[in-house]
Amino acid sequence: SQTIHQWPATLVQPVGSPLSLECTVEGTSNPNLYWYRQAAGRGLQLLFYSVGIGQISSEVPQNLSASRPQDRQFILSSKKLLLSDSGFYLCAWSLVSSGRGAYEQYFGPGTRLTVT
Amino acid sequence: AQKITQTQPGMFVQEKEAVTLDCTYDTSDPSYGLFWYKQPSSGEMIFLIYQGSYDQQNATEGRYSLNFQKARKSANLVISASQLGDSAMYFCAYFNAGNNRKLIWGLGTSLAVNP
């Protein structure tokens, strides 16, 4: 069965420090991968998605970047964190194709980032 | 552009009763799908149920069912026999295969189940 891992679970970082959040998926090949951010009490904001190694699409211009160095690895980075980067970061994967046409996304446990 | 609306920021239900969470959408796409996710206080997003626009029957998954009214563009989630563990945020999301498989999310409904 497929599983998705994210780490760290929580992170407290000062403004201006770098960031690296990692997400890995097991049990599937060539998944679509997604990074979301959720502010407290709000819905999900799609940050990046990837349909393959080295293929990253950005949804929101900001000081964050994403990379996909391996098929099942997705990394969210920043060179200098801002206070507004605080939030709950979720990684998700979905199948590239599905027999019944559904493309449900499966989420990792999330990383709670606090920028101080 | 597609839009998802969840008009109930918060809902209360008594344990063992049924509850309906509303979701409406706006689209001109002929083919699309609608998802419901549950987010407990731990934060993880849990997939609950999916409805395709061409599905002939309303989707059901255990105690979850989707009241899909295509003409009204609504896809309400019905939870039967509520349990204390159902207390969580619930999100509705819209999907179109031509949209790079991205989901468009509603703002969510907070459900509290009272004992």
Side-chain angles (χ1 to χ4, degrees):
Chain A
S1 63
Q2 301 89 355
T3 55
I4 179 168
H5 304 279
Q6 275 187 256
W7 63 90
T10 60
L11 193 59
V12 180
Q13 292 282 95
V15 168
S17 64
L19 172 74
S20 180
L21 302 181
E22 189 162 344
C23 169
T24 58
V25 181
E26 296 177 357
T28 188
S29 296
N30 194 30
N32 289 341
L33 295 172
Y34 308 84
W35 274 113
Y36 288 92
R37 177 169 60 200
Q38 185 179 30
R42 302 295 299 275
L44 276 71
Q45 178 188 33
L46 179 63
L47 301 176
F48 301 94
Y49 69 94
S50 171
V51 299
I53 295 175
Q55 300 178 62
I56 309 294
S57 295
S58 174
E59 290 294 299
V60 182
Q62 58 206 325
N63 68 319
L64 298 173
S65 62
S67 62
R68 185 171 177 173
Q70 299 179 38
D71 180 42
R72 290 169 287 179
Q73 185 184 28
F74 206 20
I75 298 172
L76 182 69
S77 304
S78 174
K79 292 182 179 178
K80 289 184 178 182
L81 283 168
L82 307 172
L83 284 174
S84 58
D85 291 325
S86 292
F88 189 54
Y89 288 81
L90 286 157
C91 180
W93 72 273
S94 70
L95 292 170
V96 174
S97 64
S98 170
R100 65 188 179 111
Y103 299 89
E104 57 264 31
Q105 294 179 12
Y106 297 96
F107 287 79
T111 295
R112 206 165 296 277
L113 172 67
T114 303
V115 182
T116 60
Chain B
Q2 300 86 5
K3 183 179 177 181
I4 287 280
T5 303
Q6 293 182 253
T7 58
Q8 307 152 313
M11 290 281 288
F12 295 90
V13 65
Q14 208 62 30
E15 192 178 8
K16 300 181 183 178
E17 293 183 351
V19 63
T20 298
L21 307 183
D22 295 342
C23 173
T24 59
Y25 57 94
D26 185 16
T27 186
S28 57
D29 298 325
S31 178
Y32 54 88
L34 295 148
F35 295 89
W36 276 93
Y37 283 82
K38 172 184 178 181
Q39 187 179 38
S41 58
S42 61
E44 187 173 357
M45 295 289 284
I46 303 167
F47 165 69
L48 295 179
I49 196 167
Y50 168 80
Q51 179 82 44
S53 60
Y54 289 121
D55 291 343
Q56 295 298 312
Q57 295 184 333
N58 286 345
T60 60
E61 292 284 351
R63 294 186 299 110
Y64 304 108
S65 61
L66 208 151
N67 183 5
F68 182 49
Q69 299 187 43
K70 193 172 181 178
R72 294 185 177 183
K73 296 185 178 178
S74 72
N76 299 337
L77 176 71
V78 180
I79 305 175
S80 63
S82 297
Q83 301 173 356
L84 295 179
D86 293 335
S87 294
M89 282 290 292
Y90 289 82
F91 291 93
C92 180
Y94 172 95
F95 165 80
N96 176 273
N99 195 24
N100 287 312
R101 303 184 180 89
K102 295 183 290 185
L103 296 181
I104 299 171
W105 295 82
L107 294 181
T109 295
S110 176
L111 176 66
V113 180
N114 297 324

